[in-house]
Amino acid sequence: MWKVSFTLSFLKGIALTWFKPDLLDAIPGTDPTWANNYSEFVIELTTNFGPHNPHLLLVLHWQREEPSVPILLYP
């Protein structure tokens, strides 16, 4: 839970607004699955606020790992 709380403390704007109802209006015993599970929280966060172009993200990651290998963006 502390990792989720720590990460939530850095959210702003729309991302914070997305999680706020579950945090403020929570009924005891009905916490969302991500509230106590950091992996679930990351999935919820990236599903709703992740990159718009996952292919480009993969290319950028590859170029960081293997900068000498040229990549074709759209084969």
Side-chain angles (χ1 to χ4, degrees), residues 9-33:
S9 71
F10 288 95
L11 296 182
K12 296 179 183 177
I14 296 172
L16 179 59
T17 303
W18 176 266
F19 289 99
K20 196 179 282 188
D22 287 329
L23 298 170
L24 299 178
D25 300 330
I27 299 169
T30 62
D31 293 336
T33 57

Side-chain angles (χ1 to χ4, degrees), residues 1-11 16 19 23 31 34-39 41-42:
M1 174 74 178
W2 65 271
K3 285 174 89 174
V4 173
S5 298
F6 181 74
T7 306
L8 282 168
S9 71
F10 288 95
L11 296 182
L16 179 59
F19 289 99
L23 298 170
D31 293 336
W34 55 261
N36 296 315
N37 185 322
Y38 184 71
S39 297
F41 175 75
V42 170

Side-chain angles (χ1 to χ4, degrees), residues 26-63:
I27 299 169
T30 62
D31 293 336
T33 57
W34 55 261
N36 296 315
N37 185 322
Y38 184 71
S39 297
E40 289 291 326
F41 175 75
V42 170
I43 290 169
E44 181 79 13
L45 189 62
T46 55
T47 298
N48 293 292
F49 302 101
H52 294 287
N53 187 344
H55 176 73
L56 182 59
L57 183 67
L58 181 64
V59 168
L60 294 174
H61 174 74
W62 177 260
Q63 286 179 337

